[in-house]
Amino acid sequence: MLRRGLCIRARKKLLQDARTLQERVMSSVWTSTSQMLSGDQYNDAHSPPCISHSPIRRFRTVSASSSASEEAPKQTTVSTARNESNSIDFPGGRVPFTDRLCFIGGALSPSQPASCYRTLDSTGACIEDAEVPHDINENLALRIYDTMVKLQTMDVIFYEAQRQGRFSFFMTSNGEEATIIGSAAALSDEDHIFSQYREHGALLYRGFSFLDMAHQCFGNMRGHGKGRQMPIHYGSKVHNFQTVSAPLATQLPHAVGAAYALKLQGQKAVTAVYFGEGAASEGDFHAALNFAATLSAPVLFICRNNGWAISTPATEQYKGDGIVGRGPSYGIPSVRVDGGDVRAVYNATAEARRIALEHTCPVLIEAMSYRSGHHSTSDDSSRYRTAEEMGVWRARDPATRFHNFIVGRGWWDADRERQLRVDSRKQVVDALTEAQKGVKPPLSELFTDVYADMPWHLREQAAEAQAHAERHPDSLHGIPLE
Amino acid sequence: MKAAGTQPFSGGNVFTAPASQCESDIIRRNSHLALKLARASTSSAQPLDTKSVPGVSAADTKPTNFCSAVNDALHIALEQNPRALCFGEDVGFGGVFRCTVGLFDRFGRDRVFNTPLSEQGIVGFGIGAAAMGATPVAEIQFADYIFPAIDQIVNEAAKYRYRSGGDFHCGGLTVRAPYGAVGHGGHYHSQSPEAFFTHVPGIKVVVPSGPKEAKGLLLASIADPDPVIFFEAKMLYRTVVEDVPTGSYTIPLGQARIVRTGGDITLVGWGQQVAVLERAAAMVQEEDGIECEVIDLRTLMPWDRDTVEASVNKTGRLLVSHEAPVTSGFGAEVVAAISRRCFLRLEAPPTRVCGYDTPFPLVFEPLYVPSAQRVADAIRDSCRF
């Protein structure tokens, strides 16, 4: 004990010495850096290109900058050697020393997974003493539930319509309704949403109609995107919902750049970007989280961890503690939430939004759920997972959980439930019927919007296509010539 | 090897002293150009199209190198447009080629900043900022390192407007990248990847050939409503100086420049290859009496077919030259299009003098690049056909 006490006192003193020295080193580095930033000695038309010093990338090639970097490590070494400090300021941050050879992470040091925040149990009963900083009132609860039911109704009927061959492709949100709508409800209308493809519930919540969706799926002139993209690649300018694109995770750095721009414009808004746990394996996930943290972008990363990326189970996607385990290593506040509990997702997102705006920083949310449906209409998931597993999760339907919650509060009853289901069904069927009669965009729209103005080569090609179609009207396949 | 001192003279052209074989090659070429500039007022390096340079007279110019011309353009763009941003790896302290010097001090950390070392992140970030109405000017440190961002450029930036039916776009985005041979750049500091991008509908590709061109084309690219990939000839950054207008001006995208007029053969190039073509043109004029018409394409997508077509209809011969490998290089597009348009006028097969279909080599660079000598031989072959 005595020895330890001495050690601590000695260390304190030595630490202080080291700090003084390091401050001196830092100030000298800073001076050099300021000189560098002023740039006078380099703004010189007569210097040769830097490449002529060294073609090797990544190293500073300007001679004066190397004098600063040479100076820093030399003095740092002296300071640590003299006082045996128990920590050191590396250029990348202050780090304590240890005399234990100890590897962190992985199989050698298993740690408890991050806990999953929930406020409702699997039946929809309230967890006592659960933290609920952002309570859900009756109006909000009913709007959320209404959207959940509409999303489920639409998913069932659109899925069937696709199976009947009325349009080419579809994807449902079964099992993830609470994640999508609970988070969307916690956003402001001014927040911009960047979506993967399984988040059309957020668009429904913002007022995008069944008809808007149906027109897009049929590729009609009135549908978003003028029939150019596959079904479910929605977007809406008025709803601040950027157009979906198929390449996974590409939208993550977009959301960071957008959040940065919103910050500079002085807007009190965040961007929210959705992605699955499979997409989080892409390089763009890494780029986005790192950029968001280093550039202080108020963006909410909302990961839908539904256990499957098409046929690949999450256990073949990562070995760490899911997606949430990665957030802190980027310096990002992170939380794991029960994606089947709408109230938990709402609270986590509302709190994340508050943190992002107050601290001008990104926040990561990992919502744990289960993809109860097939990946898409081109997928039969019974080929890679068991009916039992799917059955268990279907029984934990997020809409039913929330239904029980609002019934328990006395906000909902069987009559209203029946009415909502009947009305939603009718609205979806009507939308599909109307959209099926919709007009396709004219042939000229094949060539517009590639650029802001059509360049000469596209004008030529548009004329060629027009001439071909006039000669062979069958080739139009129902596309109007004009 | 460092180039030693430099010496301005009355023509406003400054060249570094010879250092390595390759650099002296560049310098010889440019000295030749300087002589031509000094003695000929009609041919070579045409003055800027005055239509695109309102209010700029000859008195408002100063001798400027390529690097400083780019720097000027960035200062003007950030000054004129409060939503313009400038970022990339090492951009904050002035850039490894010093193209962003002074921007950080003048416009601050929010608008001029370093990013983490990730090209896909840089371009993806730029797309998102542009989608919110910002005007991001992103820098990729070397064109050789643009490939990690190719998904973001090809699948995202290029298709952003089209796929949304025009509702969203990222037209404010400009991606600058130093490209091309530099004497000793080896595989990953020498590439000319323009043809990868001309194959992508939705983006524009611009390659200026000198300081004056660089400033006007960069300002036009930044103001352009479409995403632009802007390749800067890094060998020219400090080896060529021209009188460049000090104020703001733009050179329209999509318009080629006739560098030198002639009636025997049309030579088409872009970027740092234009100077090689000029040198070859001078060689064959002196030695063989062949009059070359040299065209600087400036913009590769969309390219100025009309100008090339009119020239080939006059000369009856076409030679396209680029540093990038020959197979599927942009020269193939020019040759194919002109062969179709000028079929009855052609007196020899259109020909290409390009890099070989190998990775860009280190010690073999002098043999690899389409040198003025190789171009001159191909011109003679074409005229003898």
Side-chain angles (χ1 to χ4, degrees):
Chain A
M1 288 301 283
L2 180 64
R3 191 163 159 254
R4 172 166 290 186
L6 274 174
C7 271
I8 289 169
R9 269 198 301 279
R11 277 177 186 167
K12 270 187 183 163
K13 167 82 174 74
L14 292 170
L15 194 60
Q16 204 153 13
D17 289 350
R19 280 203 188 118
T20 316
L21 250 177
Q22 277 151 5
E23 270 163 24
R24 220 176 289 155
V25 171
M26 287 314 288
S27 72
S28 79
V29 170
W30 177 243
T31 313
S32 317
T33 313
S34 320
Q35 280 165 0
M36 268 158 45
L37 290 173
S38 80
D40 288 339
Q41 67 264 51
Y42 306 109
N43 195 7
D44 174 7
H46 303 174
S47 311
C50 294
I51 185 71
S52 67
H53 293 277
S54 159
I56 305 302
R57 183 191 191 218
R58 315 304 190 204
F59 290 101
R60 282 188 181 161
T61 50
V62 182
S63 54
S65 72
S66 64
S67 71
S69 53
E70 272 162 25
E71 192 179 8
K74 199 166 63 194
Q75 292 205 12
T76 309
T77 312
V78 169
S79 73
T80 51
R82 210 184 61 180
N83 60 33
E84 297 296 328
S85 168
N86 61 354
S87 68
I88 181 172
D89 277 326
F90 288 107
R94 187 167 190 82
V95 176
F97 284 122
T98 174
D99 51 8
R100 303 288 91 196
L101 178 57
C102 179
F103 295 87
I104 55 172
L108 294 177
S109 65
S111 58
Q112 191 71 6
S115 304
C116 186
Y117 166 68
R118 66 169 183 168
T119 71
L120 305 177
D121 71 13
S122 61
T123 67
C126 291
I127 307 285
E128 271 189 57
D129 299 332
E131 256 185 73
V132 183
H134 303 272
D135 211 358
I136 294 185
N137 64 26
E138 182 173 352
N139 279 343
L140 180 59
L142 294 188
R143 183 173 166 196
I144 289 172
Y145 186 67
D146 181 81
T147 314
M148 290 176 88
V149 169
K150 282 184 168 154
L151 177 60
Q152 288 193 330
T153 311
M154 192 201 94
D155 273 355
V156 169
I157 300 173
F158 272 50
Y159 185 86
E160 287 308 317
Q162 193 287 329
R163 302 312 283 172
Q164 293 161 13
R166 293 166 73 183
F167 50 86
S168 60
F169 181 75
F170 195 67
M171 294 177 117
T172 67
S173 306
N174 306 146
E176 300 177 66
E177 298 89 341
T179 301
I180 298 155
I181 296 161
S183 55
L187 299 174
S188 146
D189 287 346
E190 280 69 48
D191 297 338
H192 289 255
I193 294 178
F194 291 75
S195 151
Q196 178 165 299
Y197 49 59
R198 215 182 287 283
E199 299 93 5
H200 44 277
L203 253 180
L204 276 180
Y205 187 83
R206 288 192 168 189
F208 203 68
S209 72
F210 292 140
L211 189 58
D212 293 330
M213 296 201 168
H215 277 311
Q216 198 281 333
C217 288
F218 279 101
N220 292 338
M221 187 56 192
R222 283 174 59 201
H224 177 73
K226 299 180 184 170
R228 290 169 184 152
Q229 285 213 89
M230 286 173 73
I232 64 105
H233 291 57
Y234 308 113
S236 174
K237 202 174 169 69
V238 292
H239 297 108
N240 285 338
F241 191 99
Q242 297 284 316
T243 308
V244 170
S245 76
L248 289 178
T250 48
Q251 77 279 14
L252 276 86
H254 300 176
V256 180
Y260 188 88
L262 293 176
K263 177 180 83 168
L264 256 53
Q265 291 162 19
Q267 297 193 32
K268 278 278 163 220
V270 301
T271 60
V273 57
Y274 291 96
F275 56 101
E277 90 286 350
S281 296
E282 294 280 4
D284 277 328
F285 168 87
H286 163 65
L289 268 74
N290 200 26
F291 274 56
T294 56
L295 297 170
S296 305
V299 48
L300 310 187
F301 294 103
I302 306 174
C303 178
R304 296 177 294 96
N305 189 340
N306 63 19
W308 294 90
I310 306 188
S311 73
T312 304
T315 49
E316 292 173 22
Q317 201 68 246
Y318 54 72
K319 288 292 276 182
D321 181 16
I323 309 306
V324 75
R326 303 177 193 171
S329 57
Y330 289 102
I332 295 180
S334 305
V335 66
R336 173 174 277 156
V337 58
D338 181 348
D341 173 356
V342 127
R343 194 166 68 151
V345 175
Y346 176 83
N347 272 273
T349 312
E351 198 55 15
R353 186 176 187 277
R354 186 189 65 74
I355 293 168
L357 284 175
E358 265 184 40
H359 299 269
T360 321
C361 71
V363 182
L364 171 65
I365 299 168
E366 182 186 31
M368 311 302 287
S369 60
Y370 186 82
R371 195 194 77 213
S372 298
H374 302 302
H375 167 68
S376 72
T377 46
S378 307
D379 171 53
D380 171 13
S381 62
S382 67
R383 294 168 70 171
Y384 50 79
R385 58 184 184 180
T386 63
E388 292 75 34
E389 181 185 305
M390 289 161 76
V392 168
W393 279 94
R394 286 225 168 102
R396 293 165 59 98
D397 175 44
T400 308
R401 278 168 80 176
F402 197 54
H403 171 269
N404 294 347
F405 170 75
I406 55 175
V407 167
R409 292 262 160 130
W411 296 339
W412 198 247
D413 58 42
D415 283 346
R416 295 175 77 177
E417 175 72 16
R418 202 173 308 112
Q419 195 60 47
L420 175 59
R421 297 267 171 194
V422 169
D423 288 350
S424 302
R425 197 175 167 77
K426 183 174 180 327
Q427 287 163 15
V428 174
V429 170
D430 288 351
L432 281 175
T433 309
E434 187 178 340
Q436 193 153 17
K437 293 182 287 194
V439 182
K440 296 277 180 286
L443 177 59
S444 58
E445 297 287 6
L446 165 58
F447 298 95
T448 57
D449 301 322
V450 179
Y451 296 92
D453 300 310
M454 202 184 291
W456 63 267
H457 65 290
L458 283 179
R459 283 200 303 275
E460 275 187 11
Q461 291 166 29
E464 275 172 34
Q466 190 87 5
H468 174 80
E470 280 167 12
R471 214 171 137 196
H472 303 283
D474 289 354
S475 66
L476 281 163
H477 295 286
I479 306 271
L481 194 55
E482 298 296 337
Chain B
M1 296 290 258
K2 294 180 193 176
T6 58
Q7 194 183 10
F9 60 93
S10 59
N13 293 281
V14 183
F15 303 103
T16 51
S20 66
Q21 182 54 43
C22 183
E23 279 171 17
S24 63
D25 191 56
I26 303 161
I27 289 150
R28 273 204 308 277
R29 171 198 315 156
N30 286 324
S31 302
H32 189 85
L33 175 57
L35 278 174
K36 285 167 62 68
L37 278 168
R39 72 181 177 220
S41 55
T42 49
S43 70
S44 179
Q46 288 185 330
L48 283 170
D49 179 0
T50 45
K51 278 179 298 186
S52 61
V53 195
V56 173
S57 72
D60 295 316
T61 64
K62 69 171 183 190
T64 309
N65 68 15
F66 196 114
C67 178
S68 301
V70 168
N71 187 259
D72 269 6
L74 293 173
H75 273 277
I76 290 167
L78 266 71
E79 183 67 47
Q80 286 177 343
N81 179 354
R83 289 193 165 185
L85 308 172
C86 190
F87 54 89
E89 295 156 15
D90 306 303
V91 159
F93 90 114
V96 297
F97 287 109
R98 317 311 292 152
C99 286
T100 55
V101 160
L103 293 167
F104 178 95
D105 286 342
R106 181 149 163 214
F107 300 103
R109 184 180 293 279
D110 283 350
R111 297 182 61 199
V112 180
F113 48 94
N114 290 340
T115 65
L117 207 164
S118 165
E119 287 76 14
Q120 64 196 97
I122 290 169
V123 175
F125 179 93
I127 292 169
M132 297 295 116
T135 306
V137 185
E139 178 178 306
I140 299 296
Q141 204 161 71
F142 287 84
D144 310 68
Y145 304 125
I146 205 167
F147 298 109
I150 208 156
D151 184 37
Q152 285 288 354
I153 294 170
V154 171
N155 280 328
E156 298 295 321
K159 297 171 177 54
Y160 217 94
R161 186 191 299 276
Y162 189 73
R163 72 186 184 206
S164 72
D167 284 355
F168 298 110
H169 67 85
C170 60
L173 176 67
T174 304
V175 179
R176 299 173 39 241
Y179 91 99
V182 72
H184 45 241
H187 295 349
Y188 307 112
H189 300 83
S190 309
Q191 293 179 67
S192 301
E194 66 270 14
F196 286 93
F197 299 100
T198 54
H199 195 58
V200 183
I203 51 173
K204 293 181 177 173
V205 181
V206 178
V207 195
S209 59
K212 207 159 55 179
E213 295 287 310
K215 184 172 172 182
L217 288 168
L218 181 53
L219 282 168
S221 299
I222 292 169
D224 193 83
D226 293 306
V228 177
I229 312 291
F230 191 86
F231 288 117
E232 296 169 6
K234 64 178 168 288
M235 184 158 58
L236 305 185
Y237 269 151
R238 283 163 197 277
T239 53
V240 60
V241 171
E242 289 175 338
D243 285 327
V244 174
T246 51
S248 178
Y249 64 94
T250 56
I251 296 173
L253 303 191
Q255 288 184 16
R257 171 178 69 111
I258 297 174
V259 180
R260 172 192 176 111
T261 53
D264 296 327
I265 183 169
T266 302
L267 312 184
V268 175
W270 48 88
Q272 54 198 31
Q273 195 62 11
V274 172
V276 178
L277 295 182
E278 287 187 85
R279 188 161 155 246
M283 284 164 72
V284 296
Q285 184 186 33
E286 209 166 292
E287 295 164 23
D288 310 82
I290 299 171
E291 296 289 339
C292 299
E293 182 142 300
V294 177
I295 296 178
D296 171 8
L297 220 42
R298 289 172 163 169
T299 303
L300 301 192
M301 180 51 68
W303 65 292
D304 185 353
R305 189 189 61 192
D306 286 351
T307 295
V308 180
E309 184 181 334
S311 175
V312 175
N313 277 336
K314 178 178 75 176
T315 63
R317 291 183 173 83
L318 171 66
L319 180 151
V320 188
S321 182
H322 53 69
E323 280 180 14
V326 62
T327 299
S328 301
F330 191 69
E333 178 61 35
V334 175
V335 165
I338 295 301
S339 297
R340 181 160 182 264
R341 302 285 291 190
C342 307
F343 187 69
L344 298 175
R345 295 280 191 159
L346 286 167
E347 291 170 37
T351 188
R352 292 178 285 160
V353 183
C354 304
Y356 300 112
D357 290 338
T358 69
F360 198 106
L362 183 67
V363 300
F364 304 111
E365 175 167 330
L367 291 161
Y368 176 86
V369 293
S371 64
Q373 191 63 66
R374 269 174 66 196
V375 173
D377 284 355
I379 293 169
R380 294 182 185 110
D381 287 349
S382 182
C383 290
R384 271 194 230 111
F385 182 82

